[in-house]
Amino acid sequence: MQYLHSDITDLILKAFYNVYNTLGYGFLEKVYEKAMLIELKKLGLSGIPQQRIKVYYDNNEIGDYFADIVVNEVVIVELKSAENLCPEHEAQLVNYLRATPVEVGLLLNFGKTLQHKRRVFTNDLKKNLPSNF
């Protein structure tokens, strides 16, 4: 079974493991973000750090957030450096997906134990969202 953008998410996970195997755990998220960008580039992917994404409600801009990394304009990567992932981290990623035309997100935790989650959010309402990129 082929998953949406699995070719890209597989490479992102490869970068994730490469960074973790080199740096280990204990750094701030910003350190991992910079290392991930280097690894993504080595793997032929385009990663945009701190991509500003506008949030809309009823076709009105109500705010914005900054995605840790947007890869090839089709995957949002949310980085954590926490002891464990928690439901709030997953909810944050799903809300980012809900607010954008992007359908696939990865939650990557550089904690003592590596953790990652893949989330997909798609519905017909996303087709009406303005392009944020």
Side-chain angles (χ1 to χ4, degrees), residues 49-73:
Q50 298 302 310
Q51 173 74 47
R52 180 177 183 255
I53 296 177
K54 298 175 186 175
V55 178
Y56 291 87
Y57 176 80
D58 198 22
N59 292 323
N60 295 293
E61 184 180 339
I62 59 169
D64 55 36
Y65 77 92
F66 294 87
D68 288 336
I69 303 173
V70 176
V71 179
N72 287 23
E73 297 186 354

Side-chain angles (χ1 to χ4, degrees), residues 73-105:
E73 297 186 354
V74 295
V75 178
I76 292 176
V77 177
E78 180 63 24
L79 303 175
K80 297 297 178 193
S81 181
E83 189 168 327
N84 285 301
L85 290 176
C86 61
E88 292 83 5
H89 296 142
E90 291 182 59
Q92 180 184 20
L93 179 61
V94 170
N95 284 336
Y96 291 172
L97 295 173
R98 186 183 322 240
T100 68
V102 177
E103 296 176 312
V104 178

